[in-house]
Amino acid sequence: MASLNLGYWVYSTSNQVSSISKSFPLLRSLPFNPLTTQSSSTLKKVNFTSLPSITSVLTKEDIVKEEEQDPQKSSFDFNSYMLQKASAVNQALESAVSLRDPVKIHEAMRYSLLAGGKRVRPVLCLAACALIGGRESMAMPAACAVEMIHTMSLIHDDLPCMDNDDLRRGKPTNHKVFGEDIAVLAGDALLAFAFEHIAVSTVGVPPSRIVRAVGELAKAIGGEGLVAGQVVDIISEGLTDVGLDHLEFIHVHKTAALLEAAVVLGAIVGGGCDEEVEKLRKFARCIGLLFQVVDDILDVTKSSKELGKTAGKDLVADKVTYPKLMGIQKSKEFAEKLKTDAIELLQGFDPAKAAPLIALANYIAYRQN
């Protein structure tokens, strides 16, 4: 298993976002649709040429260790938790996608699926299930399915017709090793198998919950979810006037939707009531958008070696990003606000059971790759 870069997971030293709470309200209910309202006068227009240059970096001074923030919380060993859960997920993925005929397609599927990664999405699924009171075994097939779909999205993202990237998780991208044709099919196979895996391999969960989980996942990645975000992202390349509503639509769908699905699936299969599921959905929406804001910042402040993927590609492609619209400092403030809002949404749950999700929110906020 690839090593996890968890050295920068921490708790924030203080609430630094009170002064910006009005600037960054909790996520909207998404009435805005760039596919149909690109000329809407409600968009905030931004002139990219007037923005400050992107030269700031995330520094160690932004980060403190958990025990320095709150000694009472230091009993939760996040590093050990992530290593244990990631190992369990890796074993489950290894077993689920074995090497069999046709060998070539399964080699390609396994190449990207087992290439390492932080396994944030499946661990979120397992943590949400545990928070509700469910067992890990109930959520493991759903957790693996989410990771399969995430891997599919990476394989397809890297294709020449999309982002045209040569590096992923520190290794040559799938199409560079197996060719574009096999890479496309490997992604397709992972997508299809994800749903089969939930339906066939989930045990100890009522069929009604499994059906609900399948529907939730399908909606998260289709034409109203991940794909919608991808489409708007593509057609937005090169635009000079884009508002924050437009950018939020892209990332709530392209990135946050699958993170949201991971948490919601865990809550559903774990037996959460509607109120619990929806509260966790809001939590996941915050950390999903947080993940992308941090990703945008890292893309312009870290090297390809540090990231394990090509750095600066958003700038080269002239994509809309949070640093491009807001500058580095405001992007960091927005990330802090999203993290704070997410953690507040976990109030009312058992603190001990919520500890992994709180830790994951902090990890996403302060990750370095």
Side-chain angles (χ1 to χ4, degrees):
M1 181 182 70
S3 61
L4 298 175
N5 181 8
L6 301 175
Y8 293 100
W9 165 77
V10 286
Y11 283 87
S12 173
T13 52
S14 62
N15 184 357
Q16 301 174 357
V17 298
S18 59
S19 64
I20 61 168
S21 59
K22 293 183 180 179
S23 301
F24 306 123
L26 193 62
L27 298 179
R28 293 173 283 280
S29 57
L30 302 177
F32 171 74
N33 186 347
L35 291 171
T36 57
T37 61
Q38 290 190 59
S39 62
S40 172
S41 60
T42 62
L43 282 178
K44 298 176 183 178
K45 300 298 182 180
V46 178
N47 183 350
F48 290 167
T49 60
S50 67
L51 291 171
S53 61
I54 301 173
T55 57
S56 302
V57 295
L58 293 176
T59 64
K60 292 183 179 179
E61 285 70 25
D62 295 320
I63 302 164
V64 293
K65 293 182 179 179
E66 172 200 4
E67 53 268 25
E68 292 173 350
Q69 164 64 13
D70 189 343
Q72 294 181 342
K73 294 180 181 178
S74 62
S75 60
F76 178 72
D77 188 341
F78 180 64
N79 282 16
S80 296
Y81 175 86
M82 281 298 291
L83 289 169
Q84 188 272 320
K85 296 302 179 185
S87 178
V89 168
N90 286 334
Q91 291 177 26
L93 290 171
E94 170 80 33
S95 298
V97 185
S98 59
L99 192 59
R100 52 187 183 272
D101 289 331
V103 172
K104 178 64 71 175
I105 191 63
H106 289 94
E107 283 181 339
M109 293 163 68
R110 287 166 59 86
Y111 175 80
S112 294
L113 185 64
L114 305 178
K118 295 173 282 292
R119 306 304 191 200
V120 169
R121 292 160 188 80
V123 174
L124 281 168
C125 184
L126 299 179
C129 181
L131 175 63
I132 296 300
R135 301 184 305 278
E136 181 174 297
S137 60
M138 299 166 70
M140 187 60 80
C144 289
V146 169
E147 190 67 7
M148 291 174 196
I149 291 173
H150 174 55
T151 302
M152 173 277 296
S153 73
L154 299 181
I155 294 173
H156 286 179
D157 271 355
D158 293 334
L159 289 167
C161 64
M162 297 285 282
D163 288 349
N164 193 23
D165 216 328
D166 297 341
L167 188 68
R168 175 69 67 178
R169 291 173 174 168
K171 300 171 63 177
T173 47
N174 198 287
H175 68 275
K176 286 294 180 180
V177 177
F178 296 95
E180 293 178 38
D181 47 3
I182 297 298
V184 170
L185 294 171
D188 293 346
L190 285 169
L191 176 61
F193 186 63
F195 290 98
E196 177 186 343
H197 193 58
I198 292 181
V200 173
S201 300
T202 304
V203 294
V205 177
S208 59
R209 290 189 210 163
I210 298 175
V211 171
R212 183 181 176 188
V214 168
E216 185 75 36
L217 185 56
K219 185 175 181 180
I221 64 174
E224 297 181 3
L226 186 152
V227 171
Q230 288 277 27
V231 169
V232 177
D233 189 29
I234 290 170
I235 64 178
S236 299
E237 290 182 15
L239 295 182
T240 56
D241 291 313
V242 174
L244 288 173
D245 285 348
H246 188 113
L247 183 59
E248 184 177 299
F249 180 95
I250 292 172
H251 293 314
V252 163
H253 291 77
K254 179 182 175 182
T255 302
L258 192 55
L259 280 153
E260 179 182 323
V263 173
V264 171
L265 261 61
I268 290 173
V269 299
C273 66
D274 288 346
E275 181 181 356
E276 291 171 326
V277 169
E278 291 311 308
K279 195 170 184 179
L280 286 173
R281 184 189 302 279
K282 292 177 181 178
F283 161 82
R285 182 73 60 89
C286 285
I287 64 169
L289 188 55
L290 169 64
F291 193 98
Q292 185 59 53
V293 175
V294 173
D295 221 42
D296 284 355
I297 295 170
L298 294 176
D299 187 64
V300 295
T301 61
K302 296 294 180 180
S303 68
S304 296
K305 182 178 180 180
E306 289 172 308
L307 295 178
K309 58 183 180 180
T310 305
K313 62 182 182 180
D314 289 341
L315 285 175
V316 173
D318 201 17
K319 286 192 174 184
V320 184
T321 66
Y322 282 97
K324 193 170 186 178
L325 285 184
M326 305 168 68
I328 288 287
Q329 186 56 40
K330 284 294 184 182
S331 295
K332 289 168 67 177
E333 290 171 358
F334 185 32
E336 185 73 16
K337 179 64 168 62
L338 287 167
K339 186 209 73 173
T340 301
D341 288 342
I343 292 174
E344 287 179 353
L345 285 164
L346 295 176
Q347 292 180 2
F349 289 104
D350 182 333
K353 291 182 178 180
L357 288 176
I358 293 172
L360 279 159
N362 279 286
Y363 168 64
I364 290 171
Y366 300 119
R367 64 194 176 93
Q368 298 294 294
N369 63 10

